[in-house]
Amino acid sequence: MNSLISLGKYFFAIPFAIFGIMHFVGADQMAGMAPGGVIMVYISGLCLILAAVSIIIGKYDKLASVLLAVLLILFLIPHFQNLSTNEAELFNILKNVSLAGGALLYASIAKDNSYIN
């Protein structure tokens, strides 16, 4: 059972790596939603990839998880702005809230207390 549970961090981290890659591939489409344009899409994509790597290797994973939760909460801003014109944004809002909660939950069990205790 423990081996099954230990897969959880991979199930949690790998989609963030994919989301980060998608930020690089679709930067032009996402630039309209991001304050700061394309450069902010690239920066946020890099943050997603780095968080995924940190969680997978277990180095600075607590810090990465907390920062990931902050990033996901910041991602709510453009989704709330687009909610009045696109009802489907509610799904993105709920997705980001649940993933931020998951990141904070992971931070509570992360082993690397280098920066956050």
Side-chain angles (χ1 to χ4, degrees), residues 51-114:
V53 170
S54 179
I55 291 167
I56 289 170
I57 66 173
K59 189 73 173 160
Y60 304 118
D61 55 346
K62 183 173 282 205
L63 175 64
S65 297
V66 170
L67 293 175
L68 178 61
V70 170
L71 181 65
L72 289 165
I73 291 168
L74 288 173
F75 283 172
L76 292 175
I77 295 169
H79 293 303
F80 272 116
Q81 290 172 340
N82 294 331
L83 186 58
S84 63
T85 59
N86 184 1
E87 292 178 7
E89 288 294 341
L90 182 60
F91 294 107
N92 289 321
I93 291 168
L94 294 173
K95 172 197 62 140
N96 285 2
V97 168
S98 64
L99 288 173
L104 293 173
L105 185 62
Y106 180 83
S108 72
I109 62 164
K111 297 190 181 4
D112 191 348
N113 293 325
S114 298

Short mmCIF file of all heavy atoms in Angstrom, two decimals, residues 51-114:
data_model
loop_
_atom_site.label_atom_id
_atom_site.label_comp_id
_atom_site.label_asym_id
_atom_site.label_seq_id
_atom_site.Cartn_x
_atom_site.Cartn_y
_atom_site.Cartn_z
N ALA A 51 8.82 23.63 -10.10
CA ALA A 51 8.08 23.07 -8.97
C ALA A 51 7.92 21.57 -9.14
O ALA A 51 8.10 20.80 -8.18
CB ALA A 51 6.72 23.75 -8.84
N ALA A 52 7.59 21.13 -10.35
CA ALA A 52 7.42 19.69 -10.60
C ALA A 52 8.73 18.94 -10.35
O ALA A 52 8.73 17.89 -9.69
CB ALA A 52 6.95 19.47 -12.03
N VAL A 53 9.83 19.48 -10.84
CA VAL A 53 11.13 18.83 -10.64
C VAL A 53 11.46 18.77 -9.16
O VAL A 53 11.91 17.73 -8.65
CB VAL A 53 12.23 19.57 -11.43
CG1 VAL A 53 13.62 19.08 -11.04
CG2 VAL A 53 12.01 19.40 -12.93
N SER A 54 11.24 19.86 -8.44
CA SER A 54 11.53 19.90 -7.02
C SER A 54 10.72 18.88 -6.24
O SER A 54 11.24 18.19 -5.36
CB SER A 54 11.25 21.32 -6.48
OG SER A 54 11.50 21.38 -5.11
N ILE A 55 9.44 18.76 -6.57
CA ILE A 55 8.59 17.79 -5.89
C ILE A 55 9.05 16.36 -6.20
O ILE A 55 9.12 15.51 -5.32
CB ILE A 55 7.12 18.00 -6.27
CG1 ILE A 55 6.62 19.33 -5.66
CG2 ILE A 55 6.25 16.85 -5.82
CD1 ILE A 55 5.29 19.81 -6.20
N ILE A 56 9.39 16.10 -7.45
CA ILE A 56 9.80 14.75 -7.85
C ILE A 56 11.11 14.35 -7.17
O ILE A 56 11.22 13.23 -6.65
CB ILE A 56 9.90 14.64 -9.38
CG1 ILE A 56 8.49 14.66 -9.98
CG2 ILE A 56 10.65 13.37 -9.79
CD1 ILE A 56 8.46 14.80 -11.50
N ILE A 57 12.09 15.25 -7.14
CA ILE A 57 13.39 14.86 -6.55
C ILE A 57 13.41 15.05 -5.04
O ILE A 57 14.32 14.55 -4.37
CB ILE A 57 14.57 15.61 -7.21
CG1 ILE A 57 14.51 17.11 -6.93
CG2 ILE A 57 14.64 15.31 -8.69
CD1 ILE A 57 15.74 17.86 -7.41
N GLY A 58 12.43 15.76 -4.48
CA GLY A 58 12.34 15.92 -3.04
C GLY A 58 13.30 16.95 -2.46
O GLY A 58 13.56 16.96 -1.26
N LYS A 59 13.85 17.82 -3.27
CA LYS A 59 14.75 18.86 -2.81
C LYS A 59 14.01 20.18 -2.83
O LYS A 59 13.49 20.58 -3.87
CB LYS A 59 15.99 18.91 -3.71
CG LYS A 59 17.07 19.79 -3.23
CD LYS A 59 17.77 19.16 -2.05
CE LYS A 59 18.98 20.00 -1.69
NZ LYS A 59 19.42 19.77 -0.35
N TYR A 60 13.94 20.87 -1.70
CA TYR A 60 13.19 22.11 -1.54
C TYR A 60 11.72 21.92 -1.91
O TYR A 60 11.06 22.84 -2.39
CB TYR A 60 13.79 23.26 -2.36
CG TYR A 60 15.24 23.54 -2.06
CD1 TYR A 60 16.20 23.40 -3.03
CD2 TYR A 60 15.63 23.92 -0.78
CE1 TYR A 60 17.54 23.65 -2.76
CE2 TYR A 60 16.96 24.18 -0.50
CZ TYR A 60 17.91 24.05 -1.49
OH TYR A 60 19.22 24.30 -1.21
N ASP A 61 11.20 20.73 -1.69
CA ASP A 61 9.84 20.43 -2.11
C ASP A 61 8.79 21.17 -1.28
O ASP A 61 7.74 21.55 -1.81
CB ASP A 61 9.56 18.93 -2.14
CG ASP A 61 9.85 18.22 -0.83
OD1 ASP A 61 10.51 18.81 0.04
OD2 ASP A 61 9.44 17.06 -0.70
N LYS A 62 9.07 21.44 -0.02
CA LYS A 62 8.11 22.19 0.79
C LYS A 62 8.02 23.63 0.28
O LYS A 62 6.92 24.15 0.07
CB LYS A 62 8.50 22.18 2.26
CG LYS A 62 7.49 22.89 3.15
CD LYS A 62 7.81 22.73 4.61
CE LYS A 62 7.36 21.35 5.02
NZ LYS A 62 7.05 21.20 6.42
N LEU A 63 9.15 24.27 0.06
CA LEU A 63 9.17 25.63 -0.47
C LEU A 63 8.51 25.68 -1.84
O LEU A 63 7.69 26.56 -2.11
CB LEU A 63 10.61 26.14 -0.55
CG LEU A 63 10.81 27.51 -1.19
CD1 LEU A 63 10.13 28.60 -0.36
CD2 LEU A 63 12.30 27.81 -1.37
N ALA A 64 8.85 24.74 -2.69
CA ALA A 64 8.28 24.71 -4.04
C ALA A 64 6.77 24.54 -4.01
O ALA A 64 6.05 25.16 -4.79
CB ALA A 64 8.92 23.60 -4.87
N SER A 65 6.28 23.72 -3.11
CA SER A 65 4.84 23.48 -3.01
C SER A 65 4.09 24.72 -2.54
O SER A 65 3.02 25.04 -3.04
CB SER A 65 4.55 22.32 -2.07
OG SER A 65 5.11 21.15 -2.57
N VAL A 66 4.66 25.42 -1.56
CA VAL A 66 4.02 26.66 -1.08
C VAL A 66 4.02 27.71 -2.19
O VAL A 66 3.01 28.38 -2.44
CB VAL A 66 4.72 27.17 0.19
CG1 VAL A 66 4.23 28.57 0.56
CG2 VAL A 66 4.50 26.21 1.34
N LEU A 67 5.16 27.86 -2.88
CA LEU A 67 5.22 28.83 -3.98
C LEU A 67 4.31 28.43 -5.13
O LEU A 67 3.71 29.29 -5.78
CB LEU A 67 6.66 28.98 -4.46
CG LEU A 67 7.63 29.63 -3.46
CD1 LEU A 67 9.05 29.61 -4.00
CD2 LEU A 67 7.20 31.04 -3.13
N LEU A 68 4.17 27.14 -5.37
CA LEU A 68 3.24 26.66 -6.39
C LEU A 68 1.81 27.03 -6.03
O LEU A 68 1.04 27.48 -6.88
CB LEU A 68 3.38 25.15 -6.56
CG LEU A 68 2.45 24.47 -7.56
CD1 LEU A 68 2.66 25.02 -8.96
CD2 LEU A 68 2.67 22.96 -7.53
N ALA A 69 1.45 26.88 -4.76
CA ALA A 69 0.10 27.26 -4.31
C ALA A 69 -0.13 28.75 -4.52
O ALA A 69 -1.20 29.16 -4.98
CB ALA A 69 -0.09 26.88 -2.84
N VAL A 70 0.88 29.56 -4.21
CA VAL A 70 0.75 31.02 -4.42
C VAL A 70 0.56 31.32 -5.91
O VAL A 70 -0.30 32.12 -6.29
CB VAL A 70 1.99 31.76 -3.87
CG1 VAL A 70 2.00 33.22 -4.29
CG2 VAL A 70 2.05 31.64 -2.35
N LEU A 71 1.34 30.66 -6.76
CA LEU A 71 1.21 30.86 -8.20
C LEU A 71 -0.18 30.47 -8.69
O LEU A 71 -0.80 31.20 -9.48
CB LEU A 71 2.28 30.06 -8.94
CG LEU A 71 2.31 30.18 -10.46
CD1 LEU A 71 2.67 31.60 -10.88
CD2 LEU A 71 3.30 29.20 -11.05
N LEU A 72 -0.68 29.35 -8.21
CA LEU A 72 -2.01 28.90 -8.63
C LEU A 72 -3.10 29.86 -8.16
O LEU A 72 -4.09 30.09 -8.87
CB LEU A 72 -2.28 27.49 -8.10
CG LEU A 72 -1.46 26.39 -8.78
CD1 LEU A 72 -1.51 25.11 -7.96
CD2 LEU A 72 -1.93 26.16 -10.19
N ILE A 73 -2.93 30.43 -6.99
CA ILE A 73 -3.89 31.43 -6.52
C ILE A 73 -3.81 32.69 -7.36
O ILE A 73 -4.84 33.29 -7.70
CB ILE A 73 -3.67 31.70 -5.02
CG1 ILE A 73 -4.09 30.45 -4.22
CG2 ILE A 73 -4.45 32.93 -4.56
CD1 ILE A 73 -3.66 30.46 -2.77
N LEU A 74 -2.60 33.08 -7.76
CA LEU A 74 -2.46 34.24 -8.65
C LEU A 74 -3.09 33.97 -10.03
O LEU A 74 -3.59 34.90 -10.67
CB LEU A 74 -0.99 34.62 -8.81
CG LEU A 74 -0.33 35.26 -7.60
CD1 LEU A 74 1.17 35.42 -7.83
CD2 LEU A 74 -0.98 36.59 -7.28
N PHE A 75 -3.05 32.73 -10.45
CA PHE A 75 -3.67 32.37 -11.73
C PHE A 75 -5.19 32.57 -11.70
O PHE A 75 -5.83 32.61 -12.75
CB PHE A 75 -3.39 30.91 -12.09
CG PHE A 75 -2.01 30.64 -12.63
CD1 PHE A 75 -1.61 29.33 -12.84
CD2 PHE A 75 -1.13 31.65 -12.94
CE1 PHE A 75 -0.35 29.05 -13.35
CE2 PHE A 75 0.13 31.39 -13.44
CZ PHE A 75 0.52 30.08 -13.65
N LEU A 76 -5.76 32.70 -10.52
CA LEU A 76 -7.21 32.93 -10.42
C LEU A 76 -7.61 34.29 -10.98
O LEU A 76 -8.73 34.44 -11.47
CB LEU A 76 -7.66 32.82 -8.96
CG LEU A 76 -7.58 31.45 -8.32
CD1 LEU A 76 -7.96 31.54 -6.85
CD2 LEU A 76 -8.46 30.45 -9.04
N ILE A 77 -6.71 35.26 -10.92
CA ILE A 77 -7.05 36.63 -11.34
C ILE A 77 -7.57 36.68 -12.78
O ILE A 77 -8.67 37.17 -13.02
CB ILE A 77 -5.86 37.58 -11.12
CG1 ILE A 77 -5.57 37.67 -9.62
CG2 ILE A 77 -6.14 38.96 -11.72
CD1 ILE A 77 -4.25 38.36 -9.29
N PRO A 78 -6.82 36.18 -13.77
CA PRO A 78 -7.36 36.26 -15.14
C PRO A 78 -8.61 35.42 -15.34
O PRO A 78 -9.48 35.77 -16.14
CB PRO A 78 -6.21 35.78 -16.03
CG PRO A 78 -5.26 35.09 -15.14
CD PRO A 78 -5.46 35.64 -13.77
N HIS A 79 -8.71 34.31 -14.60
CA HIS A 79 -9.90 33.48 -14.75
C HIS A 79 -11.13 34.19 -14.21
O HIS A 79 -12.21 34.11 -14.80
CB HIS A 79 -9.71 32.12 -14.08
CG HIS A 79 -8.68 31.27 -14.75
ND1 HIS A 79 -8.75 30.92 -16.08
CD2 HIS A 79 -7.53 30.72 -14.29
CE1 HIS A 79 -7.70 30.18 -16.40
NE2 HIS A 79 -6.95 30.05 -15.33
N PHE A 80 -10.99 34.90 -13.09
CA PHE A 80 -12.11 35.67 -12.57
C PHE A 80 -12.47 36.82 -13.52
O PHE A 80 -13.64 37.14 -13.70
CB PHE A 80 -11.81 36.23 -11.17
CG PHE A 80 -12.17 35.29 -10.07
CD1 PHE A 80 -11.20 34.76 -9.24
CD2 PHE A 80 -13.49 34.92 -9.84
CE1 PHE A 80 -11.52 33.89 -8.21
CE2 PHE A 80 -13.84 34.05 -8.81
CZ PHE A 80 -12.85 33.54 -7.99
N GLN A 81 -11.46 37.43 -14.14
CA GLN A 81 -11.72 38.52 -15.09
C GLN A 81 -12.48 38.05 -16.31
O GLN A 81 -13.29 38.79 -16.87
CB GLN A 81 -10.40 39.17 -15.52
CG GLN A 81 -9.74 39.95 -14.42
CD GLN A 81 -8.34 40.43 -14.79
OE1 GLN A 81 -7.71 39.90 -15.69
NE2 GLN A 81 -7.87 41.45 -14.08
N ASN A 82 -12.26 36.83 -16.73
CA ASN A 82 -12.92 36.30 -17.92
C ASN A 82 -14.22 35.58 -17.60
O ASN A 82 -14.93 35.14 -18.50
CB ASN A 82 -11.99 35.34 -18.67
CG ASN A 82 -10.79 36.04 -19.24
OD1 ASN A 82 -10.85 37.21 -19.58
ND2 ASN A 82 -9.69 35.32 -19.35
N LEU A 83 -14.56 35.45 -16.32
CA LEU A 83 -15.74 34.69 -15.92
C LEU A 83 -17.02 35.30 -16.45
O LEU A 83 -17.95 34.57 -16.83
CB LEU A 83 -15.80 34.58 -14.39
CG LEU A 83 -16.89 33.70 -13.80
CD1 LEU A 83 -16.78 32.27 -14.33
CD2 LEU A 83 -16.80 33.70 -12.28
N SER A 84 -17.10 36.62 -16.55
CA SER A 84 -18.34 37.25 -17.01
C SER A 84 -18.61 36.99 -18.49
O SER A 84 -19.76 36.98 -18.92
CB SER A 84 -18.29 38.76 -16.76
OG SER A 84 -17.23 39.34 -17.50
N THR A 85 -17.57 36.73 -19.26
CA THR A 85 -17.76 36.48 -20.70
C THR A 85 -17.69 34.99 -21.05
O THR A 85 -18.08 34.60 -22.14
CB THR A 85 -16.71 37.23 -21.53
OG1 THR A 85 -15.40 36.82 -21.12
CG2 THR A 85 -16.87 38.74 -21.35
N ASN A 86 -17.17 34.18 -20.12
CA ASN A 86 -17.00 32.75 -20.41
C ASN A 86 -17.29 31.95 -19.15
O ASN A 86 -16.47 31.89 -18.23
CB ASN A 86 -15.57 32.49 -20.91
CG ASN A 86 -15.36 31.06 -21.32
OD1 ASN A 86 -16.27 30.23 -21.27
ND2 ASN A 86 -14.13 30.74 -21.72
N GLU A 87 -18.45 31.33 -19.11
CA GLU A 87 -18.84 30.56 -17.93
C GLU A 87 -17.93 29.37 -17.67
O GLU A 87 -17.84 28.88 -16.55
CB GLU A 87 -20.28 30.09 -18.08
CG GLU A 87 -21.30 31.21 -18.03
CD GLU A 87 -22.72 30.71 -18.23
OE1 GLU A 87 -22.92 29.48 -18.27
OE2 GLU A 87 -23.62 31.55 -18.33
N ALA A 88 -17.24 28.89 -18.70
CA ALA A 88 -16.34 27.75 -18.54
C ALA A 88 -15.14 28.09 -17.65
O ALA A 88 -14.46 27.18 -17.17
CB ALA A 88 -15.86 27.25 -19.90
N GLU A 89 -14.88 29.36 -17.43
CA GLU A 89 -13.77 29.76 -16.55
C GLU A 89 -13.98 29.26 -15.12
O GLU A 89 -13.03 29.12 -14.37
CB GLU A 89 -13.60 31.28 -16.54
CG GLU A 89 -13.02 31.84 -17.83
CD GLU A 89 -11.59 31.42 -18.09
OE1 GLU A 89 -10.88 31.00 -17.16
OE2 GLU A 89 -11.17 31.50 -19.25
N LEU A 90 -15.24 29.00 -14.77
CA LEU A 90 -15.51 28.47 -13.43
C LEU A 90 -14.78 27.15 -13.20
O LEU A 90 -14.27 26.89 -12.11
CB LEU A 90 -17.02 28.29 -13.22
CG LEU A 90 -17.45 27.80 -11.84
CD1 LEU A 90 -17.01 28.77 -10.75
CD2 LEU A 90 -18.95 27.59 -11.79
N PHE A 91 -14.66 26.34 -14.24
CA PHE A 91 -13.93 25.08 -14.13
C PHE A 91 -12.45 25.33 -13.86
O PHE A 91 -11.83 24.64 -13.06
CB PHE A 91 -14.11 24.22 -15.39
CG PHE A 91 -15.52 23.76 -15.58
CD1 PHE A 91 -16.32 24.31 -16.58
CD2 PHE A 91 -16.07 22.79 -14.76
CE1 PHE A 91 -17.62 23.90 -16.76
CE2 PHE A 91 -17.37 22.37 -14.93
CZ PHE A 91 -18.15 22.93 -15.93
N ASN A 92 -11.88 26.34 -14.54
CA ASN A 92 -10.47 26.69 -14.31
C ASN A 92 -10.27 27.23 -12.90
O ASN A 92 -9.25 26.96 -12.27
CB ASN A 92 -9.99 27.70 -15.34
CG ASN A 92 -9.85 27.09 -16.70
OD1 ASN A 92 -9.40 25.96 -16.84
ND2 ASN A 92 -10.23 27.82 -17.73
N ILE A 93 -11.23 28.01 -12.41
CA ILE A 93 -11.14 28.55 -11.05
C ILE A 93 -11.15 27.41 -10.04
O ILE A 93 -10.30 27.34 -9.15
CB ILE A 93 -12.29 29.55 -10.79
CG1 ILE A 93 -12.07 30.81 -11.63
CG2 ILE A 93 -12.41 29.88 -9.31
CD1 ILE A 93 -13.27 31.74 -11.68
N LEU A 94 -12.09 26.49 -10.20
CA LEU A 94 -12.18 25.35 -9.28
C LEU A 94 -10.95 24.46 -9.38
O LEU A 94 -10.45 23.95 -8.36
CB LEU A 94 -13.45 24.56 -9.54
CG LEU A 94 -14.76 25.30 -9.24
CD1 LEU A 94 -15.95 24.48 -9.70
CD2 LEU A 94 -14.87 25.65 -7.77
N LYS A 95 -10.44 24.26 -10.58
CA LYS A 95 -9.22 23.46 -10.78
C LYS A 95 -8.05 24.09 -10.04
O LYS A 95 -7.33 23.41 -9.31
CB LYS A 95 -8.90 23.33 -12.27
CG LYS A 95 -7.56 22.67 -12.56
CD LYS A 95 -7.10 22.93 -13.98
CE LYS A 95 -6.92 24.39 -14.19
NZ LYS A 95 -5.84 24.89 -14.94
N ASN A 96 -7.87 25.40 -10.20
CA ASN A 96 -6.74 26.06 -9.56
C ASN A 96 -6.86 26.07 -8.04
O ASN A 96 -5.87 25.91 -7.34
CB ASN A 96 -6.58 27.49 -10.10
CG ASN A 96 -5.98 27.51 -11.49
OD1 ASN A 96 -5.72 26.46 -12.07
ND2 ASN A 96 -5.76 28.68 -12.02
N VAL A 97 -8.08 26.25 -7.54
CA VAL A 97 -8.28 26.23 -6.09
C VAL A 97 -7.96 24.84 -5.53
O VAL A 97 -7.27 24.71 -4.52
CB VAL A 97 -9.71 26.67 -5.72
CG1 VAL A 97 -10.02 26.39 -4.26
CG2 VAL A 97 -9.91 28.15 -6.02
N SER A 98 -8.44 23.81 -6.21
CA SER A 98 -8.18 22.45 -5.70
C SER A 98 -6.70 22.09 -5.82
O SER A 98 -6.15 21.44 -4.91
CB SER A 98 -9.05 21.42 -6.42
OG SER A 98 -8.74 21.36 -7.78
N LEU A 99 -6.04 22.50 -6.89
CA LEU A 99 -4.61 22.21 -7.02
C LEU A 99 -3.79 23.01 -6.01
O LEU A 99 -2.80 22.50 -5.49
CB LEU A 99 -4.14 22.51 -8.45
CG LEU A 99 -4.61 21.52 -9.51
CD1 LEU A 99 -4.22 22.00 -10.90
CD2 LEU A 99 -4.04 20.14 -9.25
N ALA A 100 -4.20 24.24 -5.72
CA ALA A 100 -3.50 25.02 -4.68
C ALA A 100 -3.66 24.33 -3.33
O ALA A 100 -2.70 24.25 -2.55
CB ALA A 100 -4.04 26.45 -4.64
N GLY A 101 -4.85 23.83 -3.06
CA GLY A 101 -5.06 23.08 -1.83
C GLY A 101 -4.20 21.84 -1.78
O GLY A 101 -3.63 21.50 -0.74
N GLY A 102 -4.10 21.14 -2.89
CA GLY A 102 -3.24 19.96 -2.96
C GLY A 102 -1.78 20.31 -2.75
O GLY A 102 -1.04 19.57 -2.09
N ALA A 103 -1.35 21.44 -3.30
CA ALA A 103 0.05 21.87 -3.12
C ALA A 103 0.32 22.18 -1.65
O ALA A 103 1.37 21.81 -1.12
CB ALA A 103 0.33 23.09 -3.99
N LEU A 104 -0.63 22.84 -1.00
CA LEU A 104 -0.45 23.13 0.43
C LEU A 104 -0.50 21.85 1.26
O LEU A 104 0.24 21.71 2.24
CB LEU A 104 -1.50 24.14 0.89
CG LEU A 104 -1.35 25.54 0.30
CD1 LEU A 104 -2.53 26.41 0.69
CD2 LEU A 104 -0.03 26.17 0.72
N LEU A 105 -1.33 20.92 0.86
CA LEU A 105 -1.39 19.63 1.55
C LEU A 105 -0.07 18.89 1.38
O LEU A 105 0.47 18.31 2.34
CB LEU A 105 -2.55 18.80 1.04
CG LEU A 105 -2.81 17.48 1.75
CD1 LEU A 105 -3.16 17.72 3.21
CD2 LEU A 105 -3.93 16.72 1.07
N TYR A 106 0.47 18.89 0.16
CA TYR A 106 1.77 18.26 -0.06
C TYR A 106 2.85 18.95 0.77
O TYR A 106 3.72 18.28 1.35
CB TYR A 106 2.17 18.27 -1.54
CG TYR A 106 3.51 17.61 -1.76
CD1 TYR A 106 3.59 16.22 -1.86
CD2 TYR A 106 4.68 18.34 -1.80
CE1 TYR A 106 4.82 15.61 -2.01
CE2 TYR A 106 5.91 17.73 -1.93
CZ TYR A 106 5.97 16.37 -2.05
OH TYR A 106 7.18 15.75 -2.18
N ALA A 107 2.79 20.28 0.86
CA ALA A 107 3.78 21.01 1.65
C ALA A 107 3.74 20.58 3.11
O ALA A 107 4.78 20.57 3.79
CB ALA A 107 3.54 22.52 1.53
N SER A 108 2.56 20.20 3.59
CA SER A 108 2.45 19.80 5.00
C SER A 108 3.14 18.47 5.28
O SER A 108 3.48 18.18 6.43
CB SER A 108 0.98 19.73 5.42
OG SER A 108 0.34 18.61 4.84
N ILE A 109 3.38 17.66 4.24
CA ILE A 109 4.06 16.38 4.45
C ILE A 109 5.44 16.32 3.80
O ILE A 109 6.13 15.32 3.92
CB ILE A 109 3.19 15.20 3.91
CG1 ILE A 109 2.97 15.32 2.40
CG2 ILE A 109 1.88 15.11 4.66
CD1 ILE A 109 2.48 14.06 1.75
N ALA A 110 5.83 17.40 3.12
CA ALA A 110 7.13 17.42 2.44
C ALA A 110 8.25 17.28 3.46
O ALA A 110 8.14 17.75 4.60
CB ALA A 110 7.29 18.71 1.64
N LYS A 111 9.33 16.66 3.06
CA LYS A 111 10.40 16.34 3.99
C LYS A 111 11.50 17.39 4.07
O LYS A 111 12.19 17.48 5.07
CB LYS A 111 11.00 15.00 3.61
CG LYS A 111 9.98 13.87 3.71
CD LYS A 111 10.63 12.53 3.57
CE LYS A 111 9.70 11.36 3.64
NZ LYS A 111 8.32 11.52 3.75
N ASP A 112 11.69 18.19 3.05
CA ASP A 112 12.79 19.16 3.03
C ASP A 112 12.34 20.47 3.69
O ASP A 112 11.62 21.27 3.10
CB ASP A 112 13.23 19.41 1.60
CG ASP A 112 14.55 20.18 1.54
OD1 ASP A 112 14.98 20.71 2.57
OD2 ASP A 112 15.15 20.25 0.45
N ASN A 113 12.78 20.69 4.92
CA ASN A 113 12.41 21.88 5.68
C ASN A 113 13.48 22.97 5.60
O ASN A 113 13.64 23.75 6.53
CB ASN A 113 12.18 21.52 7.15
CG ASN A 113 10.97 20.63 7.33
OD1 ASN A 113 9.98 20.77 6.62
ND2 ASN A 113 11.05 19.72 8.29
N SER A 114 14.20 23.04 4.49
CA SER A 114 15.32 23.97 4.38
C SER A 114 14.91 25.43 4.59
O SER A 114 15.63 26.18 5.25
CB SER A 114 15.97 23.84 3.00
OG SER A 114 16.48 22.55 2.84
#
